Amino acid sequence: MNRNKLTKRFLLLSAALTMALGQSAFAGETVALNLDDAMLRAFQTNPTVSIAQYELDSARAGYNAARQSRGISITASHQTQRGGYDDAHEAAPGLWTKAIGNTHANGLSASLPIFTGGKLSGTIKQAKANYQYNEVGVQRTYNEMRSTVTDGYFNMLQADNIQKLSAESVTRLEDHLKNVQAQYDVGVVAKVDVLRSQVELANAKQTLIQAENSYQVAEANMNKIVGLPMDTTLQLDNLLVYNAYDKNMDDCLAYAAEHRPELMQAKYNVDAAKGALMVARSGHMPQVAASATQQWSDSSWPGDDNGKWGVGVNVSMNVFDTGVTLSKIHGAEADLKKAEETYRNTVDSVNLDVRSNYLGLREAEKRISTTKLAVEQADEDYRIAQLRYMSGVGTNTDVLDAQVALTQAKTNYTQALYDYNTSKTALETSIGVPMENPVTSVKAQAAKTAEAVKATEAATEEAGK
């Protein structure tokens, strides 16, 4: 591939990235959107993704602080005072004074924990578990964002399908009413056929109005998800289709046990509770630390004379605190049991969630084939009912009933497709299929392309020398 082609490709990718990552569009603009575009926009603009990352950054800082607390700490101090006696005192034979003067003191102290009875270890264990919890929380947010975007996208597609089916129903009833009116005009049918057809048409128009409103609501919701103005007109190019899902129930349950973020977070909550219990129990243990000090004091600033130093070991232990430490231990033990029970409950909830979504997926899958056949049969039934009515051997009721059955069959088919696709997304979320941040992926691809362009330019220049 020559230099010009690589350069053009890079420029096109850069332009696409700039447009895709835009946080908003002009009000009233029409935006073409596929599922990948929607996912990219949502990850770029939705605050929940940023919130999860900030929570992880905070937890990482807390974990680092806990680990660094094992090291030596050095404190510098300086004190300047001016004072003297309230009443005069004899400073020398025959000399009485209030001894007013300045005092300047400086000091350095170092401390290193030697034994804390598990307090430091417990604190570090808590901080590590909290960091791991939030690390998994970022992935959980990504997975949930995928579900939100996909559900919103499919919901809008389904609303559009229902809107189109309602419009088709109105068109069929309008055409039928014209035929009935024409036959009534020549005296072939009774007035009741005209009136019944008009009533059915009015009902169909009412349904169409509701479908159009549902579509507008779904569109506004999708705009909110992807960070576009509410009045932006969206043109979706992905259709509801059936793609077979090849995993069985056992595969899904086994995968969820290893990858579901909520399960991992529940485990880390247990670890954090164990760390808290270690901290609570350390209240009954001695605290040992090595210390070293260096001090200077003088009446003249900066007070760097009269130095003295000292090194030693500080030992302290809680002998009696009226049961405060014991109560903290009991509370931490209860919190640990609560975390363990929560984990057990989370396991059951995840298994139920996976089973429900899997069964919902298979149920929708079966409905797709049956409703597809029903559409073909209903379409043929409607065609025959029309021919019979035009031939004078069928009734208007037969045609109207067939029209309702046809609309319902098509609605059932699109609903089955919608349920299958949303159930598939829900199942993937419930088993913990990881979602990558598409913003990061696109930026990485743009960086690789830029590097390729630079490498090609360098090679071209070298060849021209």
Side-chain angles (χ1 to χ4, degrees):
M1 185 177 292
N2 58 36
R3 173 184 174 185
N4 290 335
K5 288 185 178 180
L6 276 175
T7 302
K8 289 180 180 179
R9 177 171 294 183
F10 171 67
L11 292 175
L12 287 173
L13 182 59
S14 300
L17 177 63
T18 301
M19 294 179 63
L21 297 183
Q23 295 188 2
S24 63
F26 295 105
E29 183 183 4
T30 299
V31 176
L33 203 66
N34 59 34
L35 188 55
D36 290 337
D37 295 335
M39 202 72 69
L40 185 63
R41 285 181 178 272
F43 270 80
Q44 175 65 17
T45 61
N46 200 293
T48 56
V49 175
S50 299
I51 290 172
Q53 187 59 53
Y54 291 140
E55 289 176 342
L56 176 60
D57 293 341
S58 176
R60 182 187 293 112
Y63 180 35
N64 289 335
R67 289 187 298 174
Q68 291 158 355
S69 62
R70 284 186 178 276
I72 189 172
S73 61
I74 300 175
T75 304
S77 63
H78 172 82
Q79 185 180 44
T80 295
Q81 288 185 330
R82 181 174 177 80
Y85 295 108
D86 292 339
D87 301 315
H89 289 261
E90 186 176 7
L95 180 63
W96 295 82
T97 178
K98 290 187 177 182
I100 297 174
N102 299 326
T103 301
H104 306 280
N106 297 281
L108 283 176
S109 62
S111 178
L112 178 67
I114 298 176
F115 179 76
T116 63
K119 183 177 182 179
L120 277 179
S121 298
T123 301
I124 294 172
K125 188 177 183 69
Q126 276 186 286
K128 180 180 180 180
N130 184 51
Y131 169 68
Q132 292 172 320
Y133 179 95
N134 284 278
E135 190 175 34
V136 175
V138 172
Q139 184 61 65
R140 178 178 177 179
T141 300
Y142 289 173
N143 294 355
E144 291 174 349
M145 181 56 63
R146 173 188 57 199
S147 179
T148 298
V149 175
T150 306
D151 287 347
Y153 195 91
F154 287 156
N155 186 47
M156 185 176 169
L157 283 177
Q158 176 65 353
D160 185 41
N161 287 334
I162 298 299
Q163 179 181 240
K164 290 176 180 177
L165 290 176
S166 299
E168 288 179 7
S169 178
V170 169
T171 300
R172 283 195 298 268
L173 288 171
E174 286 176 341
D175 293 340
H176 177 64
L177 178 59
K178 291 178 182 178
N179 293 332
V180 173
Q181 185 66 50
Q183 293 193 66
Y184 172 75
D185 291 340
V186 297
V188 176
V189 300
K191 179 68 173 179
V192 65
D193 285 0
V194 177
L195 295 176
R196 174 69 188 280
S197 298
Q198 290 173 339
V199 170
E200 291 296 329
L201 177 59
N203 291 337
K205 288 181 177 179
Q206 177 73 12
T207 301
L208 175 59
I209 292 172
Q210 294 172 340
E212 290 172 342
N213 180 71
S214 296
Y215 176 79
Q216 291 173 359
V217 172
E219 185 177 51
N221 179 63
M222 194 64 206
N223 281 325
K224 177 181 179 297
I225 291 173
V226 300
L228 291 171
M230 293 295 180
D231 58 348
T232 303
T233 300
L234 298 179
Q235 293 180 346
L236 308 185
D237 63 356
N238 292 76
L239 301 177
L240 290 171
V241 296
Y242 168 70
N243 292 316
Y245 190 77
D246 57 357
K247 290 184 175 63
N248 58 37
M249 176 80 78
D250 292 337
D251 292 336
C252 292
L253 290 172
Y255 192 92
E258 295 293 330
H259 298 88
R260 180 71 179 261
E262 287 88 332
L263 282 177
M264 289 184 275
Q265 287 183 317
K267 288 181 181 178
Y268 294 138
N269 277 336
V270 173
D271 292 339
K274 290 179 180 178
L277 181 57
M278 292 173 63
V279 173
R281 287 174 174 170
S282 70
H284 281 157
M285 302 296 290
Q287 308 293 308
V288 182
S291 65
T293 60
Q294 176 68 52
Q295 296 177 336
W296 302 267
S297 63
D298 195 0
S299 60
S300 300
W301 194 87
D304 55 356
D305 288 336
N306 303 317
K308 62 179 181 178
W309 60 271
V311 293
V313 176
N314 299 327
V315 181
S316 64
M317 183 173 180
N318 175 29
V319 178
F320 179 72
D321 60 4
T322 66
V324 172
T325 300
L326 186 60
S327 295
K328 290 181 179 180
I329 293 174
H330 290 164
E333 289 173 342
D335 289 340
L336 175 57
K337 292 178 181 178
K338 174 185 174 183
E340 291 172 341
E341 288 301 311
T342 299
Y343 172 73
R344 188 171 65 86
N345 184 61
T346 303
V347 171
D348 293 339
S349 297
V350 167
N351 287 337
L352 177 60
D353 193 25
V354 173
R355 289 179 181 275
S356 298
N357 290 319
Y358 183 86
L359 293 175
L361 174 77
R362 294 310 181 194
E363 180 251 346
E365 185 177 44
K366 294 175 182 177
R367 285 194 287 119
I368 290 174
S369 58
T370 58
T371 54
K372 185 177 182 180
L373 178 60
V375 169
E376 297 174 356
Q377 294 171 337
D379 189 57
E380 179 66 13
D381 181 50
Y382 178 70
R383 186 186 67 81
I384 294 174
Q386 279 187 309
L387 292 175
R388 286 173 56 82
Y389 183 72
M390 295 298 294
S391 301
V393 295
T395 66
N396 185 47
T397 300
D398 293 336
V399 178
L400 296 178
D401 288 345
Q403 195 284 140
V404 171
L406 176 58
T407 300
Q408 187 61 53
K410 289 186 175 182
T411 300
N412 291 342
Y413 177 65
T414 60
Q415 186 66 44
L417 283 174
Y418 170 77
D419 291 344
Y420 178 81
N421 282 275
T422 54
S423 295
K424 186 177 180 180
T425 301
L427 179 59
E428 290 180 344
T429 302
S430 66
I431 66 177
V433 175
M435 172 68 191
E436 293 184 1
N437 190 329
V439 177
T440 304
S441 300
V442 171
K443 288 182 177 179
Q445 182 60 41
K448 288 181 180 179
T449 303
E451 291 177 0
V453 170
K454 290 181 180 178
T456 302
E457 290 176 347
T460 303
E461 291 177 359
E462 184 67 23
K465 291 181 180 180

